Amino acid sequence: KVPVFIPWYLIEIYRTAPPDPVAFARSMNKYEQSLWNNFGLSLDRIYWYHRKRTEYPTDAAMRAEYPTTAVEAFANTADEVFPSDQVEAMRCYCANAAESGIMEDDTFCHHPDGPMLIWKQPQHACEYIIGVDVGGRAASSDYSVAVVMTVPFKGEAPEVVAQWRGHTDHDLLAWNASQIATYYRKALLIVESNTIETERTEGENSGYILDEIADYYDNVYYRRSGEGSTAMRPGFHTNRQTKPLIVNNLVAAVRDGSYTERDSGAVDELQTYERKPNGTF
């Protein structure tokens, strides 16, 4: 069986000519602008949507009844973390990667099926930061992802320039991330350490992987071991205190458009991210 989604704008009768097209075009909100920019809808369809929206108490209620995308159709609208219109506004900056490949000895090698995607090669005038989310090894597990972003410079918004995504052993992931960081001009490497610290050992390694990486790569993010402690440990730890800070900061970034996302898959995940009734995400 093949799933089929029919967006509201494919229904022929859903169109109304605006009485003043120029005035309406100037008054469109961000979501309505995204219908024009991202979906290529005509003003008569957008004006129909604009008028229909007045019959519903919230944007989420409107999108549940008249979805533009399949994600909107099946989203748990009461618990969405990122408003759909703000997420969709990010999608216009997404694009297919310019290059794909693998990392070998701190060098990028082209490969059509490689897990490393590059939108922009390293630039001498830029500094970079890399965030690594550790997933599982099995194909059914969460993906491990390493995202390369520019460090803001002279008021410019940071942007995603490269991404590694796949399933691999955690020690190989850590070493691969350090190679990517070296390639991107000795980028600051921030590895989420929860999974690695829980396991404490991977494959042939007998010690703590991030300590070994820190011995090889000298631009690794460190945090304090505990409250009141002066000892430092490599890696970022996501917990009850830090996760709300991460989410709240990202909510503001999506709302304000203060970073540029290139991967449409990341935008899809933002659109399906939920807050559960018990307060967890």
Side-chain angles (χ1 to χ4, degrees):
K1 296 181 179 180
V2 179
V4 176
F5 169 69
I6 308 297
W8 65 268
Y9 55 81
L10 291 187
I11 308 301
E12 186 59 31
I13 62 173
Y14 292 167
R15 61 169 74 229
T16 301
D20 187 338
V22 174
F24 174 65
R26 290 174 176 171
S27 68
M28 290 193 302
N29 59 35
K30 288 185 177 180
Y31 187 83
E32 291 165 350
Q33 291 172 12
S34 74
L35 296 178
W36 174 274
N37 294 325
N38 300 342
F39 296 91
L41 301 191
S42 58
L43 284 180
D44 58 347
R45 292 205 179 278
I46 301 174
Y47 186 66
W48 177 91
Y49 187 93
H50 174 83
R51 294 184 60 191
K52 194 67 176 179
R53 165 63 183 85
T54 62
E55 301 176 13
Y56 291 85
T58 64
D59 290 336
M62 172 67 180
R63 292 166 196 161
E65 293 299 322
Y66 295 93
T68 302
T69 67
V71 172
E72 288 184 1
F74 296 101
N76 186 349
T77 54
D79 298 317
E80 66 178 8
V81 176
F82 303 98
S84 297
D85 57 336
Q86 296 175 8
V87 174
E88 282 302 319
M90 301 178 68
R91 198 178 296 278
C92 62
Y93 299 104
C94 295
N96 293 329
E99 303 173 86
S100 63
I102 58 176
M103 296 302 301
E104 290 184 356
D105 298 327
D106 301 340
T107 301
F108 176 74
C109 301
H110 294 273
H111 191 285
D113 300 318
M116 180 75 176
L117 301 179
I118 290 182
W119 285 270
K120 289 184 179 180
Q121 287 284 350
Q123 305 293 316
H124 289 294
C126 294
E127 294 183 6
Y128 300 92
I129 188 169
I130 300 178
V132 181
D133 184 23
V134 180
R137 302 179 187 85
S140 58
S141 303
D142 289 342
Y143 281 90
S144 292
V145 180
V147 175
V148 185
M149 300 184 70
T150 56
V151 175
F153 179 70
K154 291 185 178 180
E156 296 180 355
E159 65 173 310
V160 173
V161 295
Q163 177 176 280
W164 186 99
R165 182 174 184 265
H167 296 106
T168 187
D169 289 342
H170 296 153
D171 60 326
L172 298 179
L173 171 67
W175 285 109
N176 197 44
S178 69
Q179 290 183 318
I180 297 171
T182 300
Y183 185 70
Y184 271 89
R185 305 190 66 245
K186 300 287 289 186
L188 175 63
L189 180 58
I190 306 177
V191 181
E192 186 191 36
S193 60
N194 298 46
T195 303
I196 294 176
E197 289 182 9
T198 299
E199 296 178 352
R200 301 298 291 179
T201 180
E202 290 286 337
E204 298 301 320
N205 288 348
S206 58
Y208 178 34
I209 297 167
L210 286 179
D211 284 324
E212 296 180 11
I213 294 296
D215 290 338
Y216 163 76
Y217 187 76
D218 59 7
N219 196 17
V220 175
Y221 172 83
Y222 278 80
R223 72 181 193 280
R224 295 189 184 279
S225 295
E227 187 174 351
S229 173
T230 58
M232 305 295 287
R233 301 187 67 179
F236 182 90
H237 195 271
T238 304
N239 52 50
R240 292 181 179 179
Q241 286 73 43
T242 60
K243 188 164 187 175
L245 298 177
I246 298 170
V247 174
N248 290 338
N249 190 60
L250 186 54
V251 167
V254 171
R255 180 197 65 219
D256 300 335
S258 58
Y259 91 98
T260 301
E261 179 60 66
R262 298 298 185 192
D263 179 35
S264 61
V267 175
D268 291 340
E269 292 197 13
L270 288 173
Q271 202 157 39
T272 57
Y273 198 54
E274 297 178 333
R275 179 182 286 107
K276 298 298 184 182
N278 64 1
T280 60
F281 294 101

